[in-house]
Amino acid sequence: MTPDFSADHFALFGLAAAFRMDGTALDRAWRELQAQVHPDRYAHAGEAEKRLSMQWATRVNEAYQTLKEPLRRADYLLQKRGIHALGERQTALPADFLMQQMEWREALHEAQQVRDAHAIEQLRRALKREAAGLTDLLARQLDEERAWDAAADTVRKLRFVQKLAEDVNLALAGLEEDD
Amino acid sequence: MALLQISEPGMSTAPHQHRLAVGIDLGTTNSLVASVQSGLARVLDDERGRALLPSVVRYLADGGVSVGYEAQARQSEDPQNTIVSVKRFMGRGLKDLDKSSIPYRLLDEPGMVKLKTVQGVKSPVEVSAEILRLLRGRAEHALGGELVGAVITVPAYFDDAQRQATKDAARLAGLNVLRLLNEPTAAAIAYGLDHGVEGIYAVYDLGGGTFDISILRLSKGVFEVLATNGDSALGGDDFDQRVFCWVLEEAKLPPLNPRDTRLLLSKAREAKEYLTDHPEAHITAVLSSGDIVDLRLGLDDFNRLTQGLLNKTLAPTRKALRDAGLEAEEVQGVVMVGGATRMPCIRHAVAEFFGQTPLTNLDPDKVVALGAAMQADVLAGNKQTGDDWLLLDVIPLSLGLEVMGGLTEKIVPRNSTIPVARAQEFTTFKDGQTAMGFHVVQGERELVADCRSLARFELRGIPPMVAGAARIRVTFQVDADGLLSVSAREQASGVEAAVAVKPSYGLSDAEIANMLSDAHAHATDDLKARALNEQRVEAQSLLAALQAALALDGEQLLAAEERGAIETGMEALRRLSEGSDHLAIRAQVEALNRLTTPFAQRRMDRNVRRALAGQKVDSLGI
């Protein structure tokens, strides 16, 4: 196989194009590739090689970041099938899911008001469980059922949950800073 | 028969020839230069055997400049022309600074503050260049030759403006910057290699004016930064400042003149240092008014005064751990860096936070310079494959653009491994809109006003279209030095308009050239001879790199006529470098770079393939 600058992210790391993935193998392939292309290896080389090295290292990092995060990996697999799950024209999510989101948001807001770090921590754990559940679901939908549209819905849900989890982390950091 | 030696591609180009390269720790309080000689990194001392160079620059009325101990000794006498802790001003505007104890005449210039001295207005870049120039001279004298390049360290939490300013200062000092390296990462290299450790390590780096916390994963041959955080305006100086304010209060002093301010700040520093090994310190001074200050500062008082500063280092530490997805218990060791970590209160707090005694078995003043020297040795190509290591560092702060409503749209998130590029598409707001303004910012806050403004630029020549039809792709590229460039391109129409920006605080090449010629007008150095020399070095370096590449891969990757063309080009460059036309050498270097691009591409592809093959062999072996 000839590595192609525009090659598929999975092919770049010699991995099968599937959602379930051996994270250790990805880490190892990333380091092996960087060991060959990183700009530090070409600091004393000619301009042509320096430029190429920077392009390659950038490309390898981009592919790594995309595959490392489950949400981005799932989105990438769908994009390869022409489905833009996170594009502008995304379909609405089920009402019960949105309701749950609102409840969580309210819980976060209330806990912030009364500076209840414990409640925020519990929310963080709940979101972590929810994200894990959605990730498992994605694995089934993408690798076994090949249910692309359903997977696209799951990707959107997972993004909601992750965004909320980020806000929860920010809230925790905010409480610490005020201490 | 003796076998011929061939070096690894991208590795040492000329194994027999050791290239002189140094690591420079350009510190707030002190600076150092170190180099690897005979495989050992060591700090290069001055002629009196002193490793540290106080980062103090004094501009004299007679046009001379004094740097280091001598300048430091005179700071109380001539506070306005003796610049201390200039690093605090790098890439900073007047509004970023706490002016309360700055005795200088500051000018608010766009992008970066400037200083009024007896020799005219100086930018912090020029002041820093004086320090770097002295260290460069020290190194060339000690190593006996011209330097191929230098690795300059910067605080991990330095933003793009501060990094760019540092690189400009190095260029101004005539240094070829091999890489800007984050200080905690440099420390991790020095520590990790010396002790052969593996696992998760934290580097707690409290310098004179900056604080960094970095979390790294050390594994065989790879130093991977997982997260970094910090405060680029918090350091040992702030501890002095707290003591200084306490003195003002206790002694009920009126506002002081610059000279007394400087004097009492020095006394505060001495007291802080004394308290490292003693339960109490005395602060005595005679002010210019004749008033006498005589106070006793106990360790308990000191700890109470500085408790808040200590906490300011722990908040970023928590954030870095959270970004790395780790708990404090998962950290295997905590490396202490920076002179300020000698304070017992810091050591106690860090020990308590991580639940373990921090590692202090290396000189906190020297470890950064030593690590930088080791990295410079690798970058200069002095290491053989297998003996070297890979450094994977991150950007400390998110990069983004201003969007409607004064909000920030993050394009590259913090802690992304560099080099990194990210693109995002934008569109027009009005029918027939032909230009678009971009405002590049850095920081974590949602409001643009709370982030650091890096640059503004406009994309013009967008073909008139209905609102929302144009597709403008903005690309952020962060290189291995952590420096940003941004470009924008309109794509929907097929008409291309692209701009690349260099953030506004940076110096243009013309400005650098002007400053260089000014500097050389005072010396006898001939600018032209210098340019010629630089081009010759460049040509030699390219020829050596190509020679090695041809020896290894010429046979396999090049057709006979391709190889012939390259060899002809190399011969032409060799001839030109014997002459004295530096422009012709430059042109041939560029031509040869263009000519060898396909060859470089093939070599890179082959290296990538090799990495994949190696990795598959590994996984089969399990």
Side-chain angles (χ1 to χ4, degrees):
Chain A
M1 178 196 55
T2 304
D4 175 359
F5 194 73
S6 58
D8 173 72
H9 290 343
F10 290 99
L12 184 67
F13 293 116
L15 298 168
F19 182 76
R20 285 196 185 90
M21 198 183 59
D22 176 358
T24 325
L26 175 69
D27 284 352
R28 192 172 51 220
W30 173 56
R31 291 198 199 113
E32 296 274 349
L33 271 177
Q34 283 295 6
Q36 294 290 339
V37 304
H38 196 275
D40 284 357
R41 293 284 194 255
Y42 299 88
H44 62 288
E47 281 308 313
E49 280 188 283
K50 274 188 189 166
R51 200 174 50 244
L52 275 169
S53 137
M54 161 118 130
Q55 287 167 353
W56 264 104
T58 301
R59 160 89 180 87
V60 169
N61 278 338
E62 167 65 15
Y64 176 66
Q65 289 304 330
T66 306
L67 297 192
K68 197 170 83 160
E69 288 176 52
L71 176 69
R72 289 185 66 187
R73 185 164 72 241
D75 182 41
Y76 179 68
L77 281 165
L78 288 171
Q79 278 186 35
K80 276 159 52 83
R81 305 202 157 263
I83 299 166
H84 294 271
L86 301 175
E88 286 158 32
R89 281 183 288 269
Q90 54 173 267
T91 48
L93 286 165
D96 57 342
F97 176 80
L98 292 175
M99 194 60 88
Q100 170 75 77
Q101 289 296 307
M102 275 165 64
E103 277 168 25
W104 274 329
R105 287 235 167 249
E106 268 164 37
L108 173 60
H109 187 68
E110 274 166 30
Q112 267 183 301
Q113 294 290 331
V114 296
R115 307 180 52 76
D116 185 348
H118 181 68
I120 301 182
E121 182 58 32
Q122 275 192 321
L123 186 54
R124 188 177 76 92
R125 296 222 180 107
L127 289 168
K128 208 170 165 181
R129 277 194 303 276
E130 179 75 12
L134 289 171
T135 308
D136 286 346
L137 181 60
L138 272 176
R140 285 199 301 280
Q141 289 171 332
L142 289 167
D143 292 353
E144 283 141 34
E145 298 161 12
R146 304 170 75 77
W148 314 125
D149 290 337
D153 268 350
T154 312
V155 162
R156 285 190 281 272
K157 283 183 186 171
L158 185 54
R159 187 171 65 165
F160 258 99
V161 171
Q162 286 193 351
K163 178 78 183 70
L164 187 52
E166 274 168 34
D167 293 344
V168 165
N169 276 338
L170 277 179
L172 279 175
L175 285 190
E176 279 166 11
E177 262 175 34
D178 298 341
D179 281 348
Chain B
M1 192 185 87
L3 292 174
L4 295 174
Q5 294 180 318
I6 294 173
S7 66
E8 178 73 13
M11 301 298 131
S12 167
T13 48
H16 55 281
Q17 182 198 357
H18 184 83
R19 294 149 153 253
L20 303 180
V22 296
I24 294 180
D25 175 0
L26 181 60
T28 307
T29 319
N30 293 298
S31 298
L32 298 91
V33 59
S35 187
V36 173
Q37 291 170 285
S38 317
L40 258 174
R42 63 179 191 88
V43 171
L44 305 175
D45 296 340
D46 68 6
E47 69 285 353
R48 290 172 59 181
R50 297 174 297 198
L52 301 182
L53 174 73
S55 302
V56 182
V57 176
R58 182 177 175 211
Y59 291 98
L60 306 165
D62 65 5
V65 178
S66 104
V67 181
Y69 285 103
E70 201 190 312
Q72 190 179 41
R74 303 298 192 85
Q75 58 178 320
S76 299
E77 282 168 41
D78 189 16
Q80 296 192 323
N81 299 305
T82 309
I83 318 301
V84 180
S85 300
V86 68
K87 190 172 176 178
R88 292 202 149 194
F89 304 141
M90 294 289 270
R92 285 285 164 265
L94 197 59
K95 67 174 167 51
D96 302 318
L97 302 169
D98 168 17
K99 272 83 64 186
S100 61
S101 65
I102 296 175
Y104 315 123
R105 290 162 293 181
L106 297 175
L107 291 174
D108 195 12
E109 298 263 323
M112 203 189 312
V113 70
K114 289 196 173 157
L115 302 118
K116 236 174 170 169
T117 74
V118 68
Q119 287 185 32
V121 175
K122 298 285 174 188
S123 89
V125 170
E126 289 169 276
V127 180
S128 300
E130 294 293 350
I131 298 166
L132 290 170
R133 198 172 288 128
L134 190 141
L135 291 175
R136 177 183 146 215
R138 182 189 287 184
E140 290 184 339
H141 180 73
L143 302 174
E146 200 155 328
L147 302 180
V148 171
V151 166
I152 316 279
T153 61
V154 290
Y157 214 58
F158 252 21
D159 66 24
D160 199 69
Q162 295 166 304
R163 283 169 200 271
Q164 188 69 58
T166 305
K167 197 169 183 182
D168 286 344
R171 286 168 65 202
L172 198 53
L175 285 164
N176 171 35
V177 180
L178 293 168
R179 188 71 76 234
L180 294 180
L181 178 62
N182 289 330
E183 287 161 11
T185 313
I189 292 176
Y191 185 82
L193 292 176
D194 270 4
H195 296 78
V197 294
E198 306 220 332
I200 305 288
Y201 277 74
V203 180
Y204 180 102
D205 179 358
L206 188 63
T210 57
F211 171 66
D212 285 329
I213 178 82
S214 286
I215 315 289
L216 296 100
R217 180 188 292 136
L218 275 53
S219 54
K220 211 172 166 37
V222 183
F223 294 81
E224 182 189 351
V225 181
L226 299 175
T228 196
N229 212 299
D231 188 333
S232 63
L234 172 67
D237 283 5
D238 295 287
F239 289 73
D240 304 347
Q241 178 70 23
R242 289 288 158 97
V243 174
F244 169 80
C245 292
W246 174 84
V247 171
L248 292 187
E249 219 165 276
E250 289 288 306
K252 300 190 176 57
L253 296 173
L256 301 177
N257 61 30
R259 190 173 162 161
D260 288 343
T261 299
R262 201 61 261 171
L263 175 68
L264 283 183
L265 276 170
S266 302
K267 294 287 177 187
R269 173 190 300 272
E270 283 165 21
K272 173 190 75 177
E273 287 170 0
Y274 191 77
L275 286 173
T276 296
D277 306 308
H278 302 87
E280 65 173 56
H282 288 274
I283 299 173
T284 49
V286 183
L287 302 181
S288 44
S289 60
D291 288 340
I292 292 173
V293 173
D294 184 13
L295 294 166
R296 188 199 73 92
L297 179 66
L299 188 55
D300 289 347
D301 300 322
F302 177 77
N303 290 347
R304 182 175 45 75
L305 286 173
T306 58
Q307 179 66 39
L309 295 173
L310 222 158
N311 290 339
K312 273 175 91 174
T313 70
L314 295 180
T317 305
R318 281 191 202 95
K319 283 187 204 157
L321 278 171
R322 199 159 34 231
D323 282 352
L326 294 167
E327 306 294 332
E329 304 84 69
E330 293 175 82
V331 173
Q332 216 165 304
V334 186
V335 179
M336 300 293 264
V337 183
T341 59
R342 288 200 176 90
M343 284 185 270
C345 60
I346 300 274
R347 293 189 172 182
H348 287 150
V350 171
E352 198 178 323
F353 182 89
F354 285 101
Q356 59 181 298
T357 311
L359 304 160
T360 50
N361 53 337
L362 28 77
D363 187 336
D365 285 326
K366 292 183 181 170
V367 64
V368 168
L370 293 173
M374 293 174 181
Q375 187 66 11
D377 194 43
V378 164
L379 297 182
N382 290 331
K383 282 273 179 189
Q384 299 296 309
T385 320
D387 275 349
D388 58 357
W389 54 85
L390 178 66
L391 201 67
L392 298 165
D393 218 320
V394 300
I395 55 161
L397 294 152
S398 302
L399 292 158
L401 281 174
E402 175 171 356
V403 293
M404 296 286 224
L407 297 178
T408 313
E409 171 77 15
K410 280 180 191 158
I411 312 272
V412 187
R414 71 168 182 277
N415 292 324
S416 296
T417 307
I418 51 175
V420 60
R422 283 285 171 88
Q424 189 142 330
E425 282 192 359
F426 294 88
T427 190
T428 44
F429 178 62
K430 279 185 186 161
D431 288 347
Q433 186 177 336
T434 58
M436 200 179 249
F438 295 95
H439 183 199
V440 185
V441 296
Q442 186 162 30
E444 307 312 316
R445 308 285 291 276
E446 248 178 287
L447 291 176
V448 163
D450 297 329
C451 291
R452 171 129 199 111
S453 168
L454 292 182
R456 288 174 190 275
F457 70 95
E458 282 187 359
L459 178 67
R460 299 192 164 277
I462 301 171
M465 281 179 257
V466 293
R471 297 170 78 81
I472 288 97
R473 193 175 171 80
V474 181
T475 307
F476 279 52
Q477 168 85 57
V478 182
D479 67 16
D481 289 324
L483 292 174
L484 170 73
S485 59
V486 184
S487 62
R489 170 171 299 163
E490 201 291 308
Q491 349 208 66
S493 63
V495 176
E496 280 200 4
V499 291
V501 284
K502 179 169 172 179
S504 51
Y505 46 78
L507 300 173
S508 68
D509 287 345
E511 277 177 289
I512 294 260
N514 271 339
M515 287 179 173
L516 277 176
S517 60
D518 284 353
H520 288 296
H522 300 298
T524 47
D525 224 306
D526 182 354
L527 251 190
K528 211 165 170 190
R530 195 181 166 78
L532 177 62
N533 194 34
E534 273 173 12
Q535 289 309 327
R536 276 183 181 156
V537 169
E538 175 93 30
Q540 289 316 319
S541 147
L542 177 61
L543 286 171
L546 284 174
Q547 194 70 54
L550 282 177
L552 194 75
D553 298 322
E555 196 79 14
Q556 214 182 341
L557 299 177
L558 289 173
E561 61 270 26
E562 290 175 314
R563 185 175 184 150
I566 291 175
E567 279 169 347
T568 310
M570 287 171 69
E571 190 45 45
L573 181 58
R574 220 168 269 131
R575 266 199 322 275
L576 283 168
S577 7
E578 282 159 19
S580 59
D581 185 350
H582 71 272
L583 292 175
I585 302 175
R586 175 82 228 147
Q588 185 58 21
V589 164
E590 278 168 15
L592 202 50
N593 271 323
R594 273 196 305 277
L595 183 68
T596 53
T597 297
F599 181 40
Q601 177 74 64
R602 280 172 225 165
R603 279 162 45 82
M604 195 69 80
D605 285 352
R606 196 266 329 271
N607 290 355
V608 168
R609 228 175 6 249
R610 182 184 291 163
L612 283 175
Q615 172 242 327
K616 279 196 196 103
V617 169
D618 279 351
S619 48
L620 281 176
I622 293 166

